[in-house]
Amino acid sequence: MTTNDLEPQAGPSGTVMLRDFLQIIIRRKWVILACIILSLTAAWIICKVTTPIYRSETLILVEEQKITQNYVQGITEKDFELRFYGIQKQILSSKVLGKVLSEVDVYPEIVAKHGQAAAIAILKRRVSVDMIDKVPGAKFSTPHSVAAFTISFVHNNPATAMEVTSRIASRFVEENLHAREEKAEATSEFFDQELQRAQSQLETKEDEIKRFKTKHMGELPQQVEANLRALDRLQSDLNAVNESIQRFSDRLALIEKGIQDYQTFGTTSPTLASRAGEPVPLFRRHKELKEKLRMLKAEFWDSYPEVLVTKQELRQVEEELVAQYGPGVLQPGEKTLDPYLQDLKKQQSETQSELAVLNKRKGVLQAEKKSYEERVERAPAVEQELITLTRDYDNMKRDYQTLLDKRLHATVAENLEKRQEAAQYRITEPANFPTSPDWPNVGLIMTLGFLIGCVTGVGIAVVQEQLNPQFRGPEDVEHVIGPQLLAVIPDFAVAYSSTSWKRLLPYQRAVNEDQRALSGNDSSVISWTRRLSLGRGELPFELRLVAKALPYSIVAEQYRVAATRLALVKGKEQSTIVVVSSALQGEGKTTTVVNLGYTLAKDLGKRTVLVDCDFKRPSLGEYLKPIPSSGLADCLRTGVSVDECLFSFPEVPCWIMPVGKCEDVSNELLKTDRLSGIFAQLRDRFEYILINAPPILPVADMNVLAAFADELLLVIRAGSTPRSSFARALTTLRMDKPIHFVLNGAGGRSLPHYIGDYQTVPYGKP
């Protein structure tokens, strides 16, 4: 494994979950507590050194119009919240504050040094205008709001604060009264001008509508029904005319056929000869007069009176004949006038005349019908245009009426303002004399200090965690270094905190056997378990061997998992040397060695020896009673035999070779050939040789011991081992042999919940 293997292989980039966040707070609780104490101290100092500031406040009530009925509507907004914004701007205006500043010498030094504008700016920042509410503490408008507001001013002198507040309120009421009168007068003038303009526009629109109706007379919407009735009537007349034309056309064809038959064959039609056989008096009279005229001309001259009378009668008869039978009845050359034929021709002429009249009538009706149809077709467009004009006219008329109403209200309001009977502002609570300072607010400052301390402490803790990331649980180990994790060893507090302290009593008595101090009082055992659960102090060596003390606990079970997996990866060799180390001191490698060796011997029946090669901090010998005086150092230095340095547990095939008398701290012992011979002797006698090696980074002994190892087991402590240190340790090691990992000291939440069921099994004899 190389350093690159420590880079995250897959998965998300680490969003801090709630559980991890709480764990960070618990781990860095002293940092957070220090930040809180510093922040509270700073807040207390601020409260002590800050100059007290006093706030004076006055209440102003908005009184509405003092009339019993709603004769007039106000010219301002009804919603007080909308009016309140204008009130704030008016009170905080430079005009009002400038007059107050000239009346009360509030900031003489600032006025003398920077001018009145700078003093007004400071005064504006220290004046507050707030809306009041029936709900206590509310600073906004609700359905329970009342039309009232407060004006307050803060100053380090309470008398000055009261005087300035009083002057601002008085000045505002006076300015507002004068401004309202001017506003009412200006409003009346404005409405007069608007009424004149609206009246002019209304008259112009009326003229436009009149011209439009005159131009489109007959096409107006109200005339559509009459046009449709006229169309129906014209259609009826046109149908009657068409029927008459058809009838006369048939008769004309019959007469023309009768004339042709009579002239060709001499036959007569019984339907047309009704008058042909009857005497014709005009023709006879015409003949008689012509004969008489001829005889008179033969006897008398043309100017003879009787001749003139006869000519006159003849002319009248001819005119009647022409009128009845047409102009061709008296054509010259005709000798005899056939009454039958003449009657047929007369009927023909009459029929043709009737047809001409009917056709002319038909044309007139069609033209008139077309005119009415065009009117009906244009009616929708005319109606739409008229609707637009009428709508604009109605809107103008309505606006005009609204302006009339507003003009009336403005006039009445103007009179009410002049009589001071309209809405006005009244000071209900004069400016008070403040007795306690408004600032500093000790409670608020201390609360803010506490919150700032919490936020700062948590932020520093999170930053520290991010700058120095550590292995927190098995997920972190597998995510960074892969699947070489043998087991996850829980913190011993998980086992001992849920175990009755009476089960630990024999071990405590064994430790204190020479003192005999318990005498039935088991408070020390209770303190051990309590201190362990709180993360303080260390357990005695007997209780650290949890595989023996609590064989059915979660911790012992995880050691069995690690031992089993270690046995499964063993090769064909007769014995295996496993070097157990860690990146830094305090990761729990010695505890892991003794529990793992004990488990291999007891549960798997493997002959195991534990060799303590940590010459600077030896501790394996502490697990033996009494503590042996010889060990590995004696074998290397004086040539003591291996058997004299091996000490076993009485109930399992597990031996310990402690360091022994290590008078000097030197790596020279590890460089001798004697160490290789010792390991060769141990290989012949034991299946597993677990070497308790020193940490990798602090000392160089691990580089020598790694040469004798068949496998390397590195211990990682949850919440303690930095990832950077672990990566640097692997880089320093530089070995190509199998490396396994054990996560030590994991919290209870790092394990699945079902593993806890193992701890409920009744304990056997240790």
Side-chain angles (χ1 to χ4, degrees), residues 316-389:
Q316 293 177 355
V317 172
E318 289 178 351
E319 291 177 359
E320 292 179 3
L321 286 173
V322 170
Q324 293 184 10
Y325 300 99
V329 72
L330 298 177
Q331 292 181 356
E334 290 188 0
K335 296 180 180 180
T336 305
L337 183 63
D338 189 345
Y340 178 77
L341 182 60
Q342 189 66 26
D343 184 66
L344 289 178
K345 290 184 176 181
K346 180 181 178 182
Q347 293 182 25
Q348 182 183 17
S349 178
E350 291 176 352
T351 304
Q352 291 176 346
S353 299
E354 290 292 337
L355 282 174
V357 172
L358 290 174
N359 286 325
K360 184 177 181 181
R361 174 64 176 166
K362 179 180 179 181
V364 173
L365 290 175
Q366 288 179 343
E368 191 173 356
K369 179 183 177 184
K370 184 177 180 181
S371 175
Y372 276 99
E373 288 177 347
E374 291 177 353
R375 290 183 181 181
V376 173
E377 291 176 357
R378 289 194 299 269
V382 174
E383 181 181 6
Q384 187 64 35
E385 190 172 356
L386 183 60
I387 288 174
T388 303
L389 293 174

Side-chain angles (χ1 to χ4, degrees), residues 566-567 570 576 578 600 606-609 686-690:
L566 189 63
K570 179 182 178 182
T576 302
V578 180
L600 284 170
K606 306 294 183 180
R607 289 178 60 83
T608 307
V609 61
F686 299 98
E687 296 181 67
Y688 281 95
I689 303 170
L690 302 184

